[in-house]
Coordinates of all heavy atoms in Angstrom, one line a residue:
A373 N 226.8 84.2 -13.4 CA 228.0 84.9 -13.7 C 228.2 84.8 -15.2 O 228.2 83.7 -15.8 CB 229.2 84.2 -13.0
L374 N 228.3 86.0 -15.9 CA 228.5 86.0 -17.3 C 229.8 86.7 -17.6 O 230.1 87.8 -17.2 CB 227.3 86.9 -18.0 CG 227.4 87.0 -19.4 CD1 227.2 85.8 -20.2 CD2 226.3 88.0 -19.9
I375 N 230.7 86.0 -18.3 CA 232.0 86.5 -18.7 C 232.0 86.6 -20.2 O 231.8 85.5 -20.9 CB 233.1 85.6 -18.2 CG1 232.9 85.4 -16.7 CG2 234.4 86.2 -18.5 CD1 232.3 84.1 -16.3
T376 N 232.3 87.7 -20.8 CA 232.3 87.9 -22.2 C 233.6 88.6 -22.6 O 234.2 89.4 -21.7 CB 231.1 88.7 -22.7 OG1 231.1 90.0 -22.1 CG2 229.8 88.0 -22.4
D377 N 234.0 88.4 -23.8 CA 235.2 89.2 -24.3 C 234.9 89.6 -25.8 O 234.0 88.9 -26.4 CB 236.5 88.3 -24.3 CG 236.5 87.1 -25.2 OD1 236.5 87.2 -26.4 OD2 236.5 86.0 -24.6
T378 N 235.6 90.5 -26.2 CA 235.2 91.1 -27.5 C 236.4 91.0 -28.5 O 236.4 91.8 -29.5 CB 234.8 92.5 -27.4 OG1 235.9 93.3 -26.8 CG2 233.6 92.6 -26.5
G379 N 237.4 90.2 -28.2 CA 238.5 90.1 -29.2 C 239.0 88.7 -29.4 O 240.1 88.6 -30.1
T380 N 238.4 87.7 -28.8 CA 238.9 86.3 -29.0 C 238.7 85.9 -30.4 O 237.6 85.9 -30.9 CB 238.2 85.4 -28.0 OG1 238.5 85.8 -26.6 CG2 238.8 84.0 -28.2
T381 N 239.8 85.5 -31.0 CA 239.6 85.1 -32.5 C 239.3 83.7 -32.7 O 239.0 83.3 -33.8 CB 241.0 85.5 -33.1 OG1 242.0 84.6 -32.5 CG2 241.3 86.9 -33.1
C382 N 239.3 82.9 -31.6 CA 239.0 81.4 -31.8 C 237.5 81.2 -31.6 O 237.0 81.6 -30.5 CB 239.8 80.6 -30.8 SG 241.5 80.6 -31.0
G383 N 236.8 80.8 -32.5 CA 235.4 80.4 -32.4 C 235.3 79.0 -32.3 O 236.2 78.1 -32.2
G384 N 234.0 78.4 -32.3 CA 233.8 76.9 -32.2 C 232.4 76.7 -32.0 O 231.6 77.5 -31.8
P385 N 232.0 75.4 -32.0 CA 230.6 75.1 -31.8 C 230.3 75.3 -30.3 O 231.2 75.4 -29.4 CB 230.6 73.5 -32.1 CG 232.0 73.1 -31.9 CD 232.8 74.3 -32.3
E386 N 229.0 75.3 -30.0 CA 228.5 75.5 -28.6 C 229.0 74.5 -27.7 O 229.0 73.3 -27.9 CB 226.9 75.4 -28.7 CG 226.4 75.6 -27.3 CD 226.5 77.0 -26.8 OE1 226.6 77.9 -27.5 OE2 226.4 77.1 -25.5
G387 N 229.6 75.0 -26.6 CA 230.1 74.2 -25.6 C 231.6 73.9 -25.8 O 232.3 73.2 -25.1
S388 N 232.2 74.2 -27.0 CA 233.7 73.9 -27.2 C 234.5 74.9 -26.5 O 234.1 76.0 -26.1 CB 233.9 73.8 -28.7 OG 233.7 75.2 -29.3
S389 N 235.7 74.6 -26.3 CA 236.7 75.5 -25.6 C 237.7 75.9 -26.5 O 238.2 75.2 -27.4 CB 237.4 74.7 -24.5 OG 238.5 75.4 -24.0
P390 N 238.1 77.2 -26.6 CA 239.2 77.7 -27.4 C 240.4 76.9 -27.2 O 240.9 76.8 -26.1 CB 239.3 79.2 -27.0 CG 238.0 79.6 -26.3 CD 237.5 78.3 -25.7
G391 N 240.9 76.4 -28.3 CA 242.2 75.7 -28.2 C 241.9 74.2 -27.9 O 242.9 73.4 -27.9
G392 N 240.7 73.8 -27.6 CA 240.4 72.4 -27.3 C 241.0 71.9 -26.1 O 241.3 70.7 -25.9
G393 N 241.3 72.8 -25.0 CA 241.8 72.3 -23.7 C 240.7 71.7 -22.8 O 239.6 71.4 -23.2
Q394 N 241.1 71.6 -21.5 CA 240.3 71.0 -20.5 C 239.6 72.1 -19.6 O 239.0 71.7 -18.6 CB 241.1 70.1 -19.6 CG 241.8 69.0 -20.4 CD 240.7 68.0 -21.0 OE1 239.7 67.7 -20.4 NE2 241.1 67.6 -22.2
G395 N 239.7 73.3 -20.0 CA 239.1 74.4 -19.2 C 237.6 74.3 -19.1 O 237.1 74.4 -18.0
I396 N 236.9 74.2 -20.2 CA 235.5 74.2 -20.2 C 235.0 72.9 -19.4 O 234.1 73.0 -18.6 CB 234.9 74.2 -21.6 CG1 235.4 75.4 -22.3 CG2 233.4 74.0 -21.6 CD1 234.8 76.7 -21.7
T397 N 235.7 71.8 -19.6 CA 235.4 70.6 -18.9 C 235.5 70.8 -17.4 O 234.6 70.4 -16.6 CB 236.3 69.4 -19.4 OG1 236.1 69.2 -20.8 CG2 235.9 68.1 -18.6
G398 N 236.6 71.4 -17.0 CA 236.7 71.6 -15.5 C 235.7 72.6 -15.0 O 235.2 72.4 -13.8
M399 N 235.3 73.6 -15.8 CA 234.3 74.5 -15.3 C 232.9 73.8 -15.2 O 232.1 74.1 -14.2 CB 234.2 75.7 -16.2 CG 235.3 76.7 -16.1 SD 235.1 78.2 -17.1 CE 235.3 77.7 -18.7
R400 N 232.6 73.0 -16.2 CA 231.4 72.3 -16.1 C 231.3 71.3 -14.9 O 230.3 71.1 -14.2 CB 231.1 71.4 -17.4 CG 230.6 72.3 -18.5 CD 229.9 71.5 -19.5 NE 229.3 72.3 -20.5 CZ 229.8 72.5 -21.7 NH1 230.9 72.1 -22.1 NH2 229.1 73.3 -22.5
E401 N 232.5 70.7 -14.6 CA 232.5 69.8 -13.4 C 232.3 70.6 -12.2 O 231.5 70.1 -11.2 CB 233.9 69.1 -13.4 CG 234.1 68.0 -14.5 CD 235.4 67.5 -14.4 OE1 236.3 67.9 -13.7 OE2 235.7 66.5 -15.2
R402 N 232.9 71.7 -12.0 CA 232.7 72.5 -10.8 C 231.2 73.0 -10.7 O 230.6 72.9 -9.6 CB 233.5 73.8 -10.9 CG 235.0 73.6 -10.7 CD 235.8 74.9 -10.6 NE 237.2 74.7 -10.4 CZ 237.8 74.5 -9.2 NH1 237.0 74.5 -8.1 NH2 239.1 74.3 -9.2
A403 N 230.6 73.4 -11.8 CA 229.2 73.8 -11.8 C 228.2 72.6 -11.4 O 227.3 72.7 -10.7 CB 228.8 74.3 -13.1
S404 N 228.5 71.4 -11.9 CA 227.7 70.2 -11.6 C 227.7 69.8 -10.1 O 226.8 69.2 -9.6 CB 228.1 69.1 -12.5 OG 229.4 68.6 -12.2
L405 N 228.8 70.1 -9.5 CA 228.9 69.8 -8.0 C 227.7 70.5 -7.2 O 227.3 70.0 -6.2 CB 230.3 70.3 -7.4 CG 231.5 69.5 -7.9 CD1 232.8 70.1 -7.3 CD2 231.4 68.0 -7.5
Y406 N 227.2 71.6 -7.7 CA 226.2 72.3 -7.0 C 224.9 72.4 -7.8 O 224.2 73.4 -7.8 CB 226.7 73.7 -6.6 CG 227.9 73.7 -5.7 CD1 229.2 73.8 -6.2 CD2 227.7 73.5 -4.3 CE1 230.3 73.8 -5.3 CE2 228.8 73.4 -3.4 CZ 230.1 73.5 -4.0 OH 231.1 73.5 -3.1
D407 N 224.7 71.4 -8.7 CA 223.5 71.4 -9.6 C 223.4 72.6 -10.5 O 222.3 73.1 -10.8 CB 222.3 71.2 -8.7 CG 222.2 69.9 -8.0 OD1 222.9 69.0 -8.6 OD2 221.6 69.8 -7.0
G408 N 224.6 73.2 -10.8 CA 224.5 74.4 -11.7 C 224.7 74.0 -13.1 O 225.0 72.8 -13.5
T409 N 224.6 75.0 -14.0 CA 224.8 74.7 -15.5 C 225.8 75.8 -16.0 O 226.0 76.8 -15.4 CB 223.5 74.9 -16.2 OG1 223.0 76.2 -16.0 CG2 222.5 73.9 -15.8
L410 N 226.5 75.4 -17.0 CA 227.5 76.2 -17.6 C 227.4 76.2 -19.1 O 227.3 75.1 -19.7 CB 228.9 75.9 -17.2 CG 230.0 76.8 -17.7 CD1 230.9 77.2 -16.5 CD2 230.8 76.2 -18.8
E411 N 227.3 77.3 -19.8 CA 227.3 77.4 -21.3 C 228.5 78.2 -21.7 O 228.8 79.2 -21.1 CB 226.0 78.1 -21.7 CG 224.7 77.4 -21.2 CD 223.5 78.3 -21.5 OE1 223.6 79.4 -22.1 OE2 222.3 77.9 -21.1
A412 N 229.1 77.7 -22.8 CA 230.3 78.4 -23.3 C 230.2 78.3 -24.8 O 229.9 77.2 -25.4 CB 231.5 77.8 -22.8
G413 N 230.5 79.4 -25.5 CA 230.4 79.4 -27.0 C 230.7 80.8 -27.5 O 231.0 81.7 -26.8
P414 N 230.7 80.9 -28.9 CA 231.0 82.1 -29.5 C 229.9 83.2 -29.1 O 228.7 82.9 -28.9 CB 230.9 81.8 -31.0 CG 231.1 80.3 -31.1 CD 230.5 79.8 -29.9
L415 N 230.3 84.4 -29.0 CA 229.5 85.5 -28.6 C 228.7 86.0 -29.9 O 229.3 86.2 -30.9 CB 230.3 86.7 -28.0 CG 229.5 87.9 -27.4 CD1 228.8 87.4 -26.2 CD2 230.5 88.9 -27.1
L416 N 227.4 86.0 -29.8 CA 226.6 86.3 -30.9 C 226.7 87.8 -31.2 O 227.0 88.7 -30.3 CB 225.1 86.1 -30.7 CG 224.8 84.6 -30.3 CD1 223.3 84.4 -30.0 CD2 225.2 83.7 -31.5
P417 N 226.5 88.2 -32.5 CA 226.7 89.6 -32.9 C 225.8 90.6 -32.1 O 226.2 91.6 -31.7 CB 226.3 89.6 -34.3 CG 226.6 88.3 -34.8 CD 226.3 87.4 -33.7
A418 N 224.6 90.2 -31.8 CA 223.6 90.9 -31.0 C 224.1 91.2 -29.6 O 224.0 92.3 -29.1 CB 222.2 90.3 -30.9
A419 N 224.7 90.2 -29.1 CA 225.3 90.4 -27.7 C 226.6 91.2 -27.8 O 226.9 92.0 -26.8 CB 225.7 89.0 -27.1
I420 N 227.3 91.1 -28.9 CA 228.5 92.0 -29.0 C 228.1 93.4 -29.1 O 228.7 94.3 -28.5 CB 229.3 91.6 -30.2 CG1 229.8 90.2 -30.1 CG2 230.6 92.6 -30.5 CD1 230.6 89.7 -31.3
A421 N 227.0 93.7 -29.7 CA 226.6 95.1 -29.8 C 226.2 95.7 -28.5 O 226.3 97.0 -28.4 CB 225.3 95.2 -30.8
T422 N 225.9 94.9 -27.5 CA 225.6 95.5 -26.2 C 226.7 95.8 -25.4 O 226.7 96.4 -24.3 CB 224.6 94.5 -25.5 OG1 225.3 93.3 -25.3 CG2 223.4 94.2 -26.2
T423 N 227.9 95.3 -25.8 CA 229.1 95.6 -25.0 C 230.0 96.6 -25.8 O 229.6 97.0 -26.9 CB 229.9 94.3 -24.9 OG1 230.3 93.8 -26.1 CG2 229.1 93.2 -24.2
S424 N 231.1 96.9 -25.2 CA 232.0 97.8 -25.9 C 232.9 97.2 -26.8 O 234.1 97.2 -26.8 CB 232.8 98.6 -24.8 OG 233.6 97.7 -24.1
A425 N 232.3 96.4 -27.8 CA 233.1 95.6 -28.7 C 233.6 96.4 -29.8 O 232.9 97.3 -30.3 CB 232.2 94.5 -29.2
A426 N 234.8 96.1 -30.3 CA 235.4 96.7 -31.4 C 235.6 95.7 -32.5 O 236.1 96.1 -33.6 CB 236.7 97.4 -31.0
S427 N 235.3 94.4 -32.3 CA 235.5 93.5 -33.4 C 234.3 92.6 -33.5 O 233.4 92.6 -32.6 CB 236.7 92.7 -33.2 OG 236.6 91.9 -32.0
A428 N 234.2 91.8 -34.5 CA 233.0 91.0 -34.7 C 233.2 89.6 -34.1 O 232.4 88.7 -34.4 CB 232.8 90.8 -36.2
A429 N 234.3 89.4 -33.4 CA 234.5 88.1 -32.7 C 234.4 88.2 -31.2 O 234.6 89.3 -30.7 CB 235.9 87.5 -33.1
G430 N 234.2 87.2 -30.5 CA 234.0 87.2 -29.1 C 233.7 85.8 -28.5 O 233.3 84.9 -29.2
W431 N 233.8 85.7 -27.2 CA 233.4 84.4 -26.5 C 232.6 84.7 -25.3 O 232.7 85.8 -24.7 CB 234.7 83.7 -26.2 CG 234.5 82.3 -25.8 CD1 234.4 81.7 -24.6 CD2 234.5 81.2 -26.8 NE1 234.2 80.4 -24.7 CE2 234.3 80.0 -26.0 CE3 234.5 81.1 -28.1 CZ2 234.1 78.8 -26.5 CZ3 234.4 79.9 -28.7 CH2 234.2 78.7 -27.9
R432 N 231.7 83.8 -24.9 CA 230.9 84.0 -23.8 C 230.9 82.8 -22.9 O 230.8 81.6 -23.4 CB 229.4 84.3 -24.3 CG 228.4 84.4 -23.2 CD 227.0 84.3 -23.7 NE 226.9 82.9 -24.2 CZ 225.7 82.4 -24.7 NH1 224.7 83.2 -24.8 NH2 225.6 81.1 -25.1
V433 N 230.9 82.9 -21.6 CA 230.8 81.9 -20.7 C 229.7 82.3 -19.7 O 229.8 83.4 -19.1 CB 232.1 81.6 -19.9 CG1 231.9 80.6 -18.8 CG2 233.2 81.1 -20.9
R434 N 228.7 81.5 -19.5 CA 227.5 81.8 -18.6 C 227.4 80.7 -17.6 O 227.2 79.5 -17.9 CB 226.2 82.0 -19.4 CG 225.1 82.4 -18.5 CD 223.8 82.2 -19.3 NE 223.7 83.0 -20.4 CZ 223.4 84.3 -20.5 NH1 222.9 85.0 -19.4 NH2 223.4 85.0 -21.7
L435 N 227.5 81.1 -16.4 CA 227.4 80.1 -15.2 C 226.1 80.5 -14.4 O 225.9 81.6 -14.0 CB 228.6 80.2 -14.3 CG 228.5 79.4 -12.9 CD1 228.5 77.9 -13.1 CD2 229.6 79.8 -12.1

Side-chain angles (χ1 to χ4, degrees):
L374 178 64
I375 306 97
T376 59
D377 65 68
T378 60
T380 302
T381 58
C382 295
E386 177 71 19
S388 64
S389 168
Q394 299 297 322
I396 299 297
T397 301
M399 288 191 286
R400 282 205 172 96
E401 290 175 352
R402 287 186 181 275
S404 65
L405 291 177
Y406 300 96
D407 295 333
T409 60
L410 186 132
E411 302 172 1
L415 189 64
L416 300 178
I420 297 177
T422 62
T423 64
S424 58
S427 63
W431 196 263
R432 178 199 64 181
V433 175
R434 184 189 301 272
L435 169 68

